[in-house]
Amino acid sequence: MDLILFILFATIAVVCGISLVVQKHPIGSALSLIGVMGSLAVLYLLLGAEFIAAVQLIVYAGAIMVLFVFVIMLLNAGEEAPGGKSWPSRLLGVPLLTVFLGLLAYLMQLMAPSMGMVTFGSFNTGAKELGRSLFNNYLLPFEVTSVLVLIAILGAIVLARKEID
Amino acid sequence: MPQLNAVPMSWYLILSAILFTLGVAGFLFRRNIITVFMSIELMLNAVNLSFVAFSHQLRQVDGQIFTFFVMVVAAAEAAVGLAIILTVFKNRQTLSIDEVSSLKN
């Protein structure tokens, strides 16, 4: 059952990822990215990360992607103009990326015997364990993050203000 | 694989590698500034998947905490980045990254 779910949602994630790259219209790319994020949330559940799966759906697929779609519609972004690629990127891009992916996959396979299998339910972490670790071991980073978010809010307001030239 | 209730850990990591490579491809090949930004989000998501996979592998919750922080940083980045895109569009009336090249000269 785990294997079927993994293969199903991994396929959805990869297909949506390819669709993100090849779609000509940004709204198509945004919808594909929502597909990737939704299927990643299911994979997080399979890995026992319940809280992260919920946050993935609420923050990523909910808040961040709504922001993206909102900006695409606000700017009335159309299809991107064809061409404009330099010849090195056209010639070398795909082979070099394939080599990069092959290298990564080879290293993972090299590590694979020591890593074992994932079975659902062998390690479940909800909000309780995560919160305990967050507020004991990672309290300072957590507080610094709140300052970062505050700065981001102020920056976004200042940048998107009407008076700017 | 005979048993259906277990997935090899390396498959998760390879899926993460595939998604990361797709993100790099989108970042390199696309010309629309919003799509380039979405490719960055795809790369962050791929790294999050391997963080959660390693968290499961090591039976420690720290990997999920890192994922949590990456999500917070991604949210802040999205807010500021989209505000910058709005400002660029207001000033130049274009979304093509080839035409936003003031720093080149």
Side-chain angles (χ1 to χ4, degrees), chain A residues 1 23 80 115 118 125 138, chain B residues 4 7 30 57 62 64:
Chain A
M1 193 62 197
Q23 289 269 355
E80 68 180 63
M115 284 195 298
V118 179
T125 47
Y138 293 95
Chain B
L4 280 178
V7 185
R30 299 305 302 270
Q57 165 76 17
D62 303 57
Q64 297 181 23

Side-chain angles (χ1 to χ4, degrees), chain A residues 1-3 6 10 13-14 17-18 20-24 26 29-30 33 36-37 40 43-44 46-47 49 51-52 55-56 60 64-65 67-68 71-72 74-75 77-78 80 83-85 89 93-94 97 100-101 104 108-109 111-112 114-119 122-123 125 130 133-134 138 141-142 145 148-149 152 156 159-161 164-165, chain B residues 1 3-26 28-32 34-35 37-39 41-42 44-46 48-49 52-62 64-80 82-87 89-91 95 98:
Chain A
M1 193 62 197
D2 281 19
L3 197 68
F6 175 83
V14 171
I18 293 170
L20 187 154
V21 178
V22 300
Q23 289 269 355
K24 284 286 164 231
S29 299
L33 190 51
V36 174
M37 285 164 175
L40 279 186
L43 294 182
Y44 292 161
L46 281 179
L47 284 165
F51 182 72
I52 295 294
V55 171
Q56 168 89 3
Y60 254 129
I64 296 182
M65 289 320 292
L67 205 61
F68 270 97
V71 167
I72 291 171
L74 183 69
L75 298 183
E80 68 180 63
K85 284 179 214 157
S89 84
V94 174
L97 282 176
F100 176 66
L101 177 60
L104 280 179
M108 307 268 177
Q109 281 300 330
M111 285 159 60
S114 63
M115 284 195 298
M117 313 286 272
V118 179
T119 46
S122 60
F123 179 67
T125 47
L130 215 67
S133 179
L134 190 63
Y138 293 95
F142 180 76
T145 305
L148 176 81
V149 172
L159 277 170
R161 220 174 29 180
I164 200 145
D165 262 319
Chain B
M1 292 298 145
Q3 74 263 49
L4 280 178
N5 58 349
V7 185
M9 174 61 70
S10 56
W11 291 15
Y12 279 100
L13 298 178
I14 287 173
L15 174 66
S16 164
I18 292 172
L19 288 178
F20 189 87
T21 313
L22 283 171
V24 176
L28 290 179
F29 296 143
R30 299 305 302 270
R31 285 286 153 271
N32 189 311
I34 298 177
T35 316
F37 205 49
M38 282 191 278
S39 305
E41 298 289 335
L42 182 59
L44 287 173
N45 266 288
N48 278 349
L49 178 61
V52 175
F54 278 122
S55 159
H56 187 279
Q57 165 76 17
L58 300 172
R59 298 286 190 276
Q60 283 176 354
V61 82
D62 303 57
Q64 297 181 23
I65 304 254
F66 284 145
T67 304
F68 188 66
F69 282 130
V70 170
M71 282 177 182
V72 174
V73 172
E77 175 218 338
V80 175
L82 288 171
I84 291 175
I85 290 176
L86 275 179
T87 314
F89 186 78
K90 236 183 268 174
N91 287 330
L95 284 175
D98 285 330

